[in-house]
Amino acid sequence: MSVLTDLIYGGSNAVAGLTENAVNEAIAKYGADKAIAFPDTAYYFPTIYAATGVKVKTLGDLPACVGVLKSLITNQEDLGQALNAGLATAVGAEILEGLKYVEGGNPYENESGIGFVPDPIIRSLGVPLVTGDIPGVAVVLGKAEEPEQVVKVVKDYQSKGIMTFLVGDVIEQCAQGGVKMGLELRVIPLGHDVTSVIHVVTVAIRAALIFGNVQPGDLAGLLKYTKERVPAFVNTFGAIDNVVVSAGAGAIALGFPVVVGIDLGENQVPGALESVCDHNETVKKSLELREIKIKVTELPIPVAFAAAFEGEIIRKADMHNECWSNKNPTAELVVMREMDEIEDHKITIIGPDLDEAKELALVTYVEVAGKKMQVDFESVIERKFHAWFNYMEGIMHTGQRNQVRVRVSNAAFEAGVRMKDFAEVLYVMIMNEFDAVVDKCQVTLITDATEAQKFRDEVAMPRYNQRDDRLASMTDESVDRYYTCILCQSFAPAHCCVVTPERLGLCGAVSWLDAKATNELDPNGPCQPIFKEGLIDERTGRYESVNKMVASATHGAVESVTLYSILEDPMTSCGCFECICGIEPMSNGVIIANREYAGMTPAGMTFGELASCTGGGVQTPGYMGHGRHFISSKKFCSAEGGIARIVWMPKELKDDVGERLNKTAKELYGIDNFTDMIADETVTTDCEELLNWLTEKGHPVLGMEPLM
Ligand code: SF4
């Protein structure tokens, strides 16, 4: 037997033995009926569920899984069979990690890793992955001989926006080396045991179930999906034992190349298992093997600029400067100009710089001109300020328009960041990302409080008001076209959003104006116009042209969709939806749950369980993914009676959408404070109690036609 297959089987057999003993001991201690589950997932033990269709719910379900695991280890001298043994190691690792959760609670509470990654986090990663904002997923495990080697590699991935999961002593090595960690910073410590690597494996596996509509038990479909659509790879540091090698074999079976930091000589498998002993080459080799291309933006600023810094929090103690609307006037505004009205790359600073005052006003005023520029794109460009300022290491930005807060850290100030760097970031990024519509761009920053206030009140506020009036008047009836968005097809191949003025994409990130701008910027790109032709049914929003376009965009997978119905050919869902609504038969209404809500709903299901009813581009009458803003739209389930059907939603969501929802209810039905009639988890999560409560409140749903 070759050294490689020998090592793989050695590791898989060792894990099989450990798993069998651990399962037997757990059953002896707690009994076979003891319930077992990972937290906040609708996919049971995801590896086992996806590969075999078996739903592990109790300890008594596990011995059969151990049997399957053992059957995958054939000990035959064949690389394909050995890779299957690697999958057995993954199953074993999942069971061993699952057993840590047998007593409930969080077994990782006192660990530096986070352990199991809940479903809502995976759903939240959908959009950044499909847009290439997260270009890849790295798994870094082991213990580097020289800690600075792994620190350098992980910081490099972070600066490229790669999502990096750490397993083993590399966690401490990176922490001590100053790597900033956290989900929002795209470096996630999983745990110290090598088995904790399964927590990133199940992220890939659940992506297949959530976005790819891979059916549980379809192992071949699962492996195809992870290989073709999940851009993950593995790096090991330091010595590796046979368990690590067999786990690596499992990764290779899923299509993830493994780059090891020791010389494997002839045991390397080109393209799948390769040695890179010079760690200066690790990142380059890993990206090459997974064919990940990084778009580099060269910026003339003294700090790093990467999406991975977007979630950085600057606390008061670390803060050098603050521009905050609560203390000083602020405004952010993009205005379209004629070509001869502005000077390209002209930067003007009016008022003190960061070394002259600690607290400043801040007006960020950008004037753009271009032959294809349109007034409607002003707000699309303006909304990008938030992300771009946050991408600067040591800068935190929140808010928009006249409600803004910008913090500059001591470290960023010491590195030399000054006001002109903000202007440079805006100039370079606008000219990069909006090059199809912007030919000239000039930036003015006003930090003088008196001048800033004058600008805000006399220029910015009237412009915001003008835009709001235009947006309010924009309805599905007032435009001649809608747009497709197929960005999510890289994960959910059968999914297509139809974006209209009154129905934004279900991720919440693509409005009709965004889709229009995307189409202008990239005419052959993901957003294509659908001209409103061939109206079949006004009530449900059924058009011949929409059906035709969706059928073509989904390669025939979906032939008929409606824009306004949850029951009749509802729009497909990909998996990264902000909210899901589903019918609640007892009250004849619909309930809504948002991704962040982890509790129970009156439908007897959590968000994750509701969400698993749809997704992957399938149409599931009665369930539908959608964006938060859609809830207050006059088109929300309008075929079934509209927002008057809403009977329950989590309190946080209700507070967030309340003002707009109440306004819509007043306009549609003349009801004041409609949200007072909508229950939330503080009222009840029981469907019978819900019905009694709605009756007490005189909710309009009780007088509506039966839904089914
Ligand atoms: S609009 Fe739809 S397809 Fe486009 S990114 Fe959002 S969810 Fe994905």
Side-chain angles (χ1 to χ4, degrees), residues 127 130 485-488 495-497 499 505-510 574 576:
V127 172
V130 297
C485 181
I486 55 163
L487 257 179
C488 283
H495 172 67
C496 172
C497 275
V499 182
L506 51 84
C507 58
V510 180
C574 54
C576 54

Side-chain angles (χ1 to χ4, degrees), residues 23 44 151-152 160 180 187 266 318 444 454 476 482 539 573 580 583 601 638-639 669:
V23 168
Y44 311 93
V151 169
K152 190 167 171 234
K160 291 179 163 61
K180 295 172 186 161
V187 178
E266 61 184 16
D318 304 321
T444 306
K454 192 164 178 290
D476 288 6
Y482 304 142
R539 181 184 62 90
S573 301
I580 184 164
I583 54 172
T601 69
S638 61
Y669 320 111

Side-chain angles (χ1 to χ4, degrees), residues 566 578-584 589-595 597 600-603 605-607 610 624-628 630-632 636-637 642-643 645-651 653-654 657 661 674 678-681:
I566 186 181
E578 288 188 302
C579 304
I580 184 164
C581 63
I583 54 172
E584 202 290 299
V590 300
I591 58 147
I592 304 174
N594 53 309
R595 202 160 57 202
Y597 177 67
M600 188 45 73
T601 69
M605 291 188 268
T606 61
F607 170 84
L610 279 164
M624 190 175 67
H626 56 87
R628 278 180 179 239
F630 186 49
I631 296 171
S632 55
F636 179 85
C637 297
I643 57 169
R645 289 282 178 191
I646 303 174
V647 293
W648 188 97
M649 69 172 94
K651 187 161 186 328
L653 181 64
K654 196 163 71 173
V657 303
L661 186 56
F674 175 53
I678 299 174
D680 58 45
E681 73 278 19

Side-chain angles (χ1 to χ4, degrees), residues 42 119 175 530 558 603 618 637 675 684:
D119 290 357
I530 309 174
V558 182
V618 291
C637 297
T675 46
T684 182

Side-chain angles (χ1 to χ4, degrees), residues 211-213 225 229 485-486 488-497 550-559 561 571-574 615-619:
F211 302 112
N213 195 29
Y225 184 93
R229 297 189 184 267
C485 181
I486 55 163
C488 283
Q489 283 199 354
S490 51
F491 278 97
H495 172 67
C496 172
C497 275
V550 168
S552 138
T554 61
H555 312 288
V558 182
E559 292 188 335
V561 289
M571 213 178 283
T572 60
S573 301
C574 54
V618 291
Q619 290 172 301

